[in-house]
Amino acid sequence: MTVSFTPRKRREFLTQTLSLSALAMSGGAAFAQAKPTIKIGFVDGWSDSVATTNLAAAIIRSKLGMNVELVPLAAGIMWQGVARGDIDATLSAWLPVTHEAYLANFKDKVQILGANYPGAKIGLIVPEYVKATSLADLNSHRADFDNRIVGIDAGAGVMKKTEEAIKAYGLEMRLQPSSGPAMAAELDRAYRANKSIAVTGWIPHWMFAKYKLRFLADPKNIYGAEEHVDSVINPGLNTKAPTVVAFLKKLSWKPEEIGAVMLAVEGGAKPDAAAEKWIADNPARVAGWLA
């Protein structure tokens, strides 16, 4: 059947069609705006930070349909970014000891969602074959360590605590700043040569799966008791992406789970690929975080 339009009807039809098209385009734009980019800060070189951040990013992208931008930062700048809203979240807040100074500075401008990894610990780490067992007797063995402690980034929480420990125990050893990867490389060289080395370190970390290590006893409790790694957000994320906040509140994994991703990355896998493989292998765990 053929339908013919008068000039007037044709104009009305075109007007309605254009109006519908404009509405569809505006609706599409609104939909695009409803899927914001989530910026997550992390500490590159901290294996737990890399693993947890990439895991969360992969889930937010694949399950929640949002874009994610990962921003590598030093710990202090990371906290500052979340407080200012330049960064939406970090999953790398070590509390209550390691990052206590950052929390004191920014507690009124951030929101703590809870622990994504319980049972964390910082301190001085040595290979099991090292004679020293405690910070208290480290001076008597300092020559074995070349009178130094191998550290990570200057200003990191574990570095500040180590500076306190050097004073508290009267250690005649210098703290040598470097980075997470550089510290691990020095540990590897010393371990293979069966040489004494003391490094600033923490758990969770892939090196505990690769080497036989232990923490030096800390009778003065300078490094504090067991900690937890928390997810911290800028409060604006509650409005920007409430589904992301709901997911991050539930995200918490076990030592063997984070260890699998960290070891895969240390073995050469790209962090995002290692995270995606873990997600594919553990659908029930992921579903539980999103329920």
Side-chain angles (χ1 to χ4, degrees), residues 63-91:
K63 307 299 183 182
L64 300 180
M66 296 185 191
N67 295 320
V68 180
E69 180 183 344
L70 301 187
V71 186
L73 297 165
I77 298 174
M78 178 181 71
W79 273 87
Q80 186 180 56
V82 175
R84 289 192 313 202
D86 300 332
I87 303 296
D88 293 304
T90 178
L91 312 182

Side-chain angles (χ1 to χ4, degrees), residues 31-291:
F31 179 79
Q33 292 174 358
K35 299 292 184 180
T37 295
I38 309 301
K39 291 186 177 181
I40 304 178
F42 72 104
V43 184
D44 197 11
W46 290 15
S47 57
D48 64 295
S49 182
V50 171
T52 303
T53 303
N54 276 272
L55 175 85
I59 292 172
I60 293 169
R61 290 188 186 110
S62 63
K63 307 299 183 182
L64 300 180
M66 296 185 191
N67 295 320
V68 180
E69 180 183 344
L70 301 187
V71 186
L73 297 165
I77 298 174
M78 178 181 71
W79 273 87
Q80 186 180 56
V82 175
R84 289 192 313 202
D86 300 332
I87 303 296
D88 293 304
T90 178
L91 312 182
S92 309
W94 279 63
L95 298 171
V97 177
T98 308
H99 288 176
E100 64 179 336
Y102 304 138
L103 180 61
N105 286 335
F106 303 117
K107 63 182 179 181
D108 295 330
K109 297 181 180 179
V110 302
Q111 178 182 346
I112 299 174
L113 298 184
N116 60 62
Y117 182 88
K121 181 178 174 62
I122 66 168
L124 287 191
I125 296 168
V126 297
E128 280 193 350
Y129 55 74
V130 166
K131 294 178 181 178
T133 60
S134 167
L135 275 79
D137 62 13
L138 200 54
N139 267 342
S140 60
H141 299 283
R142 65 182 184 275
D144 296 338
F145 298 91
D146 294 328
N147 298 306
R148 66 175 186 145
I149 297 167
V150 180
I152 56 169
D153 316 80
V158 70
M159 293 288 280
K160 292 179 180 178
K161 286 298 175 182
T162 301
E163 290 169 356
E164 291 180 26
I166 288 173
K167 293 179 181 178
Y169 289 96
L171 300 182
E172 299 173 20
M173 300 174 73
R174 71 183 187 279
L175 176 58
Q176 176 184 305
S178 58
S179 66
M183 173 273 289
E186 287 225 35
L187 173 63
D188 182 72
R189 284 193 293 271
Y191 195 93
R192 286 188 283 111
N194 205 50
K195 292 179 62 177
S196 294
I197 185 170
V199 302
T200 60
W202 60 93
I203 192 169
H205 197 289
W206 58 262
M207 61 188 183
F208 280 90
K210 188 171 183 178
Y211 313 110
K212 293 182 178 179
L213 307 171
R214 54 181 164 81
F215 283 93
L216 288 175
D218 177 21
K220 296 187 178 182
N221 203 34
I222 302 299
Y223 291 99
E226 192 173 89
E227 294 196 274
H228 39 85
V229 186
D230 286 23
S231 299
V232 177
I233 65 168
N234 181 277
L237 189 60
N238 289 291
T239 301
K240 180 179 180 179
T243 56
V244 171
V245 176
F247 156 59
L248 293 179
K249 284 181 178 179
K250 291 186 176 182
L251 174 61
S252 180
W253 55 348
K254 303 171 185 177
E256 63 271 18
E257 294 173 330
I258 189 173
V261 176
M262 290 191 296
L263 279 175
V265 174
E266 171 60 17
K270 291 185 177 181
D272 56 348
E276 288 166 5
K277 183 181 184 305
W278 191 91
I279 290 168
D281 292 342
N282 298 272
R285 285 287 281 145
V286 175
W289 295 329
L290 296 169

